[in-house]
């Protein structure tokens, strides 16, 4: 390999594998002499890559952690694996996968050669995910488009479907994506309505970056009662997108103050309960109690409590107790053969 830049990239790719490389093996991989390998190592050091060398017959070279993360060099298989993993996490709103993952996916897909983008799409389309709960599935391409526009401060156009099914066209200045674990939301300034909005990303379609740049406006000081596609009050100071989103959602749905006792140790429940619902505290032998607040729906909270897979007692709120009673009665009827129900009726508030 006589092309020096290409050889340096290949050398860097090898060194980023977590192992120590003997100089002779590197020379064989690169098709050059050990002396050329030493010169190339010196060039990488001059560029700021912290390459350590060990002496002796078993010595070699390895890349160590430095003051800043150097650019990663990925081969085709590694790039496809990372892109598929990020797409899966972002597209199905896995808890703990936040906006940073979407930004990373946007950067990676921007530089992927077309042959690799095709492989990523083929793998994604051929994979059927197993998801729990009622989290909506999201098109990863929509997420990357929104993330790129927000990062690049570029105006967006898209179609938006509201909760009642109404379709509208929106032109916005995207501010930030917010992940709640189950869903993604876009905080943006709606140009046609001259106000701030929050949009559920799974209801966004045909997003298009217009190429028109903008200077970000300060977030409202106080959230209003808008929520998804809804109206929010304006203010003059910049604010935190997550706090703003929480305030805007608070105007749409009442807060649930949970008081639940589980007949299982706290570590058992923590492993099965979404972090957004809080952390239970030990409460006697082989039991724990959850006291927290949630902005999620009654239906979702009831489902996640049941999925903990142990006996539990809900002390409050009363609305959740009533919903569980109705749900329990319905499930009991569903499990009883010959109960006389034809499956077409409604009962309770579910």
């Amino acid at each position: 390999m006589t092309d020096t830049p290409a050889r340096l990239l290949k050398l860097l790719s090898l060194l980023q594998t977590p192992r120590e490389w003997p100089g002779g093996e590197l020379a064989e991989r690169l098709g050059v002499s050990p002396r050329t390998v030493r010169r190339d190592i010196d060039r990488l050091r001059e560029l700021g890559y912290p390459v350590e060398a060990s002496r002796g017959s078993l010595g070699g070279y390895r890349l160590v952690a430095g003051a800043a993360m150097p650019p990663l060099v990925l081969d085709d298989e590694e790039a496809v694996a990372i892109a598929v993993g990020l797409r899966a996490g972002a597209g199905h709103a896995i808890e703990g996968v936040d906006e940073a993952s979407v930004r990373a996916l946007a950067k990676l897909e921007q530089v992927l050669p077309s042959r690799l983008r095709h492989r990523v799409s083929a793998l994604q389309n051929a994979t059927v995910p197993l998801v729990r709960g009622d989290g909506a599935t999201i098109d990863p391409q929509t997420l990357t488009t929104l993330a790129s526009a927000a990062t690049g401060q570029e105006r967006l156009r898209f179609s938006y479907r509201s909760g009642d099914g109404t379709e509208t066209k929106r032109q916005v200045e995207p501010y930030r994506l917010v992940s709640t674990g189950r869903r993604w939301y876009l905080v943006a300034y709606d140009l046609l309505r001259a106000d701030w909005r929050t949009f559920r990303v799974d209801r966004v379609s045909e997003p298009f970056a217009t190429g028109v740049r903008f200077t970000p406006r300060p977030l409202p000081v106080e959230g209003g009662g808008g929520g998804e596609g809804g109206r929010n009050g304006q203010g003059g100071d910049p604010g935190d997108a997550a706090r703003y989103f929480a305030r805007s959602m608070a105007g749409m749905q009442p807060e649930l103050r949970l008081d639940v006792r589980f007949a299982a140790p706290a570590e058992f429940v923590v492993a099965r309960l979404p972090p957004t619902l809080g952390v239970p505290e030990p409460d006697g032998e082989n039991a724990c109690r959850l006291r927290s607040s949630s902005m999620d729906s009654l239906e979702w909270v009831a489902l996640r409590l049941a999925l903990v897979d142990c006996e539990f007692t809900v002390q409050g709120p009363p609305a959740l107790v009533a919903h569980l009673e109705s749900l329990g009665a319905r499930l009991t009827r569903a499990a009883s053969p010959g109960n006389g129900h034809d499956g077409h009726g409604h009962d309770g508030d579910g």
Side-chain angles (χ1 to χ4, degrees), residues 137-161:
T137 299
I138 304 165
D139 179 9
Q141 187 59 48
T142 296
L143 270 178
T144 56
T145 300
L146 301 185
S148 296
T151 301
Q153 298 175 7
E154 188 175 354
R155 288 180 178 176
L156 272 172
R157 288 178 181 164
F158 55 81
S159 297
Y160 189 73
R161 176 178 51 83

Side-chain angles (χ1 to χ4, degrees), residues 305-326:
L305 293 177
L307 288 175
V308 173
D309 197 24
C310 72
E311 296 291 329
F312 65 95
T313 303
V314 177
Q315 307 294 332
L320 179 58
V321 174
H323 177 74
L324 286 169
E325 289 176 346
S326 174

Side-chain angles (χ1 to χ4, degrees), residues 82-83 85-87 89-90 94 96-108 143-144 147 184:
I82 291 175
L86 288 172
R87 273 183 154 217
I94 296 174
V97 178
D98 57 14
E99 186 191 352
S101 299
V102 179
R103 292 200 309 269
L105 176 59
K107 291 177 181 179
L108 181 59
L143 270 178
T144 56
W184 287 90

Side-chain angles (χ1 to χ4, degrees), residues 11 41 90 107 120 165 191 202 214 299:
L11 174 59
I41 292 292
K107 291 177 181 179
V120 170
L191 294 169
D202 59 293
F214 66 90
E299 294 79 8

Side-chain angles (χ1 to χ4, degrees), residues 107-121:
K107 291 177 181 179
L108 181 59
E109 292 199 337
Q110 183 178 0
V111 298
L112 281 179
S114 59
R115 70 180 189 282
L116 296 187
R117 282 199 298 270
H118 176 74
R119 288 179 59 187
V120 170
S121 296

Side-chain angles (χ1 to χ4, degrees), residues 13-270:
S13 176
L14 293 172
L15 291 174
Q16 285 178 340
T17 302
R19 56 162 290 191
E20 189 168 278
W21 290 87
E25 186 174 351
L26 287 175
E28 183 179 350
R29 290 285 193 111
L30 298 173
V32 296
S33 67
R35 182 180 178 182
T36 300
V37 170
R38 289 193 294 271
R39 287 202 304 264
D40 287 348
I41 292 292
D42 289 337
R43 290 191 181 98
L44 289 180
R45 289 169 175 161
E46 291 172 0
L47 293 172
Y49 293 92
V51 182
E52 281 188 353
S54 56
R55 299 183 181 278
S57 58
L58 299 178
Y61 302 97
R62 65 189 184 97
L63 189 66
V64 298
M69 192 182 87
L72 292 174
V73 179
L74 305 171
D75 62 28
D76 286 5
E77 299 301 325
E78 293 166 342
V80 169
I82 291 175
V84 169
L86 288 172
R87 273 183 154 217
H92 301 287
I94 296 174
E95 291 161 8
V97 178
D98 57 14
E99 186 191 352
S101 299
V102 179
R103 292 200 309 269
L105 176 59
K107 291 177 181 179
L108 181 59
E109 292 199 337
Q110 183 178 0
V111 298
L112 281 179
S114 59
R115 70 180 189 282
L116 296 187
R117 282 199 298 270
H118 176 74
R119 288 179 59 187
V120 170
S121 296
L123 279 170
Q124 186 77 14
N125 293 335
T127 303
V128 179
L130 177 63
V131 294
R132 300 174 68 181
D134 63 351
T137 299
I138 304 165
D139 179 9
Q141 187 59 48
T142 296
L143 270 178
T144 56
T145 300
L146 301 185
S148 296
T151 301
Q153 298 175 7
E154 188 175 354
R155 288 180 178 176
L156 272 172
R157 288 178 181 164
F158 55 81
S159 297
Y160 189 73
R161 176 178 51 83
S162 63
D164 62 6
T166 303
E167 294 276 354
T168 55
K169 300 292 184 182
R170 304 296 181 108
Q171 183 173 356
V172 305
E173 295 176 352
Y175 185 83
R176 193 64 58 84
L177 284 166
V178 177
S179 171
T180 65
R182 295 186 300 126
R183 293 192 178 101
W184 287 90
Y185 293 85
L186 174 68
V187 176
Y189 186 83
D190 193 316
L191 294 169
L192 298 180
R193 290 155 179 80
D195 204 353
W196 288 87
R197 296 290 194 272
T198 52
F199 301 94
R200 265 181 55 172
V201 175
D202 59 293
R203 293 176 175 172
V204 171
S205 61
E206 302 175 353
F208 173 73
T210 65
V212 178
R213 305 290 176 178
F214 66 90
T215 300
R217 304 167 190 263
L219 272 179
V221 174
E222 297 182 358
E228 54 175 284
R231 187 178 185 278
N232 296 291
Q234 280 191 277
D237 298 327
D240 176 78
R243 288 198 302 268
Y244 170 79
F245 170 78
R247 288 195 302 265
S248 65
M249 289 293 103
M252 292 189 63
Q253 185 159 290
E255 182 180 48
L256 299 178
R257 296 192 175 275
L258 303 177
D259 187 354
V260 185
R261 191 175 191 273
F262 297 93
E267 57 270 19
F268 176 90
V269 177
V270 167

